[in-house]
Amino acid sequence: MSKKILILGGGYGGLLAALTARQHLSASEAQITLVNRFPTHQIITELHRLAGGTIGEKAVSLPLEKLLKGKSINLVIDTVTEIKPDDKKVLGASGSAYTYDALVVALGSETAFFGIPGLQEHSFVLKSVNDANRIRAHVEAELDAYKKTGDKAHATFVVGGGGLTGVELVGEFADKMPELCRAKGIDFNDISLYVVEAAPSILPVFPPELVQRAVESLSKRGVEFITGVAITERTPTTVSLKDGRTIETHTLVWTGGVQGHPAVANSGLEVNRGRATVTETLQSTSHPDVFLAGDCAVVFPAGSERPYPPTAQLAWQMGELVGYNLSAYFKGGKMEAFEPVFSGTLGSLGRKDAIGTIGANQIRLKGLPATLMKEASNIRYLSHINGLFTLAY
Ligand code: NAD
């Protein structure tokens, strides 16, 4: 009898799980339903470029209907509000209830605000196409307001958090701002672009030599780094820092970290700090009929207490393994263990500069080679999902 596979989330983990499961299970063996809150698969690794205005929405927002066409995968647009693994049921904001024989939870992560007063209410985040569009429109509006009023708070832009999200975004701002200023008749020297980072340095994921390259490259283009100082409060017009300083601004983009999805944290699945714990085959440690892919799960390398980072490349690999393991789960074959391959980490510093470490030997790249690698990794992903699209049933 045909089994019911329910997949929550149409990001890297969910989409790859759906496409891979369909490669291994025919439509008569399994009905696959994918529930996503947007009708699009969003390339969130490129959102900074949409927010900065370098690319258009179509480049990062791919209609799921098109990606799933001809695959016998039901697409449902709904926001998951509750997962009830003991009842084998999932509830959506639309009022619908979904049932399953096997569930894949791939809902991603959310921005963490760490309880900092005013932050959630008065900052922008960069987790979706809508978020990126909001930032882009707001920056333009602020420049217009500055032109009109001369109030410096409208010409001051703060990125809170110097991880990869924050640095990639400020790189786009640094490239786009001079162009926008010219078009609006504003002196670019009037603009202040800050990155505030609580840790002693930005980008701890990279070796110091590459961090220095990033700081130099961005400083040359007008970015000011405030490191070793945490943001402690936000009001609509101010950002307070731990050392007592206050920055007057209408724009804080908060990229200070991510946390597990609340629907997972509150589901009754076993979790570790809000992210579901998994076996080596990516099944929930408490519910073997639930598989997990992407940021909403926490995976520890063997013998390590430090989990793998929540990245797109891991979500993609987890999704594929889950897709494969689902077929073994239903057909009685042997499930495989998750053994991720790290191709490296690449961080863009705007349109023409980037840094990266590649492969197991952590080969260091900067400048054009890193920029090209970064572009290539995006193209590789897009052709991969399109390839699966063609290959599948
Ligand atoms: P992150 O957790 O990596 O970085 C957040 C930064 O904010 C940290 O450096 C932290 O010290 C800082 N911070 C926290 N609280 C602060 C405060 N009160 N004031 C000032 N600074 C504060 O988050 P991210 O950059 O969104 O990245 C999330 C994950 O996604 C990471 O694993 C990252 O590697 C990955 N990612 C990868 C890429 C890429 O590969 N190009 C791009 C974006 C994100």
Side-chain angles (χ1 to χ4, degrees):
M1 209 182 85
S2 180
K3 298 294 182 184
K4 273 165 88 174
I5 298 175
L6 178 64
I7 300 180
L8 310 180
Y12 300 95
L15 177 65
L16 270 302
L19 292 173
T20 312
R22 187 43 93 221
Q23 278 190 304
H24 297 283
L25 289 162
S26 68
S28 59
E29 288 169 325
Q31 295 171 34
I32 303 178
T33 300
L34 188 149
V35 181
N36 196 41
R37 65 187 162 137
F38 305 123
T40 52
H41 172 62
Q42 305 197 346
I43 310 297
I44 59 171
T45 53
E46 295 291 302
L47 286 181
H48 56 285
R49 299 176 74 205
L50 178 64
T54 308
I55 55 171
E57 187 172 324
K58 276 191 178 160
V60 290
S61 190
L62 315 179
L64 277 163
E65 205 176 279
K66 229 169 160 181
L67 290 167
L68 301 175
K69 199 169 168 203
K71 295 295 191 313
S72 306
I73 295 173
N74 310 317
L75 174 64
V76 176
I77 309 307
D78 198 357
T79 300
V80 171
T81 51
E82 216 177 322
I83 303 170
K84 298 170 149 247
D86 291 335
D87 302 337
K88 283 178 159 299
K89 206 192 258 180
V90 171
L91 306 181
S94 66
S96 299
Y98 308 92
T99 57
Y100 58 84
D101 294 306
L103 177 69
V104 178
V105 184
L107 289 171
S109 54
E110 291 206 333
T111 300
F113 295 99
F114 306 118
I116 298 171
L119 200 54
Q120 186 159 4
E121 298 85 334
H122 305 298
S123 64
F124 294 85
V125 296
L126 188 57
K127 289 291 278 177
S128 71
V129 164
N130 287 347
D131 295 337
N133 283 333
R134 264 196 291 272
I135 292 171
R136 184 175 176 166
H138 175 80
V139 167
E140 289 232 19
E142 281 302 283
L143 291 175
D144 291 337
Y146 176 65
K147 174 85 180 161
K148 213 161 146 191
T149 63
D151 177 356
K152 178 77 176 136
H154 291 299
T156 301
F157 301 89
V158 180
V159 173
L164 270 161
T165 308
V167 169
E168 291 194 320
L169 177 65
V170 88
E172 297 300 316
F173 281 171
D175 281 353
K176 187 70 178 181
M177 216 58 92
E179 217 176 276
L180 283 175
C181 285
R182 256 194 315 278
K184 293 178 186 294
I186 295 168
D187 183 351
F188 176 62
N189 292 316
D190 293 353
I191 305 294
S192 294
L193 275 179
Y194 292 105
V195 173
V196 181
E197 167 55 56
S201 156
I202 61 162
L203 298 178
V205 68
F206 286 115
E209 165 208 339
L210 292 182
V211 173
Q212 198 186 336
R213 162 60 178 242
V215 170
E216 279 170 16
S217 168
L218 292 164
S219 301
K220 261 190 227 154
R221 281 176 279 150
V223 177
E224 291 175 56
F225 290 93
I226 301 175
T227 51
V229 185
I231 289 173
T232 51
E233 192 174 352
R234 170 71 172 143
T235 72
T237 53
T238 58
V239 173
S240 304
L241 307 186
K242 192 155 186 208
D243 62 4
R245 269 183 283 178
T246 298
I247 302 172
E248 308 260 329
T249 179
H250 295 266
T251 316
L252 170 64
V253 185
W254 176 247
T255 62
V258 296
Q259 64 186 19
H261 196 283
V264 176
N266 303 325
S267 63
L269 292 170
E270 192 178 349
V271 292
N272 176 333
R273 295 193 198 169
R275 295 167 72 199
T277 50
V278 290
T279 64
E280 59 174 16
T281 51
L282 301 182
Q283 288 162 281
S284 156
T285 45
S286 56
H287 295 75
D289 54 348
V290 179
F291 292 75
L292 290 115
D295 291 9
C296 63
V298 60
V299 188
F300 294 89
S304 170
E305 288 185 1
R306 242 185 110 160
Y308 289 119
T311 63
Q313 58 172 310
L314 281 195
W316 162 3
Q317 293 178 45
M318 290 167 85
E320 288 196 333
L321 186 76
V322 163
Y324 175 80
N325 280 350
L326 278 168
S327 85
Y329 179 75
F330 285 126
K331 291 179 176 176
K334 188 176 175 323
M335 284 192 239
E336 289 196 355
F338 183 54
E339 283 167 11
V341 177
F342 284 98
S343 48
T345 305
L346 291 157
S348 77
L349 305 171
R351 293 173 197 170
K352 293 187 187 145
D353 202 5
I355 51 175
T357 50
I358 303 295
N361 296 333
Q362 297 260 302
I363 295 166
R364 293 164 194 198
L365 291 182
K366 48 193 169 193
L368 187 63
T371 304
L372 293 176
M373 283 294 284
K374 174 95 179 149
E375 275 170 25
S377 82
N378 187 36
I379 292 167
R380 187 170 144 248
Y381 176 70
L382 295 176
S383 59
H384 184 71
I385 52 174
N386 279 306
L388 278 179
F389 167 55
T390 339
L391 282 172
Y393 282 100

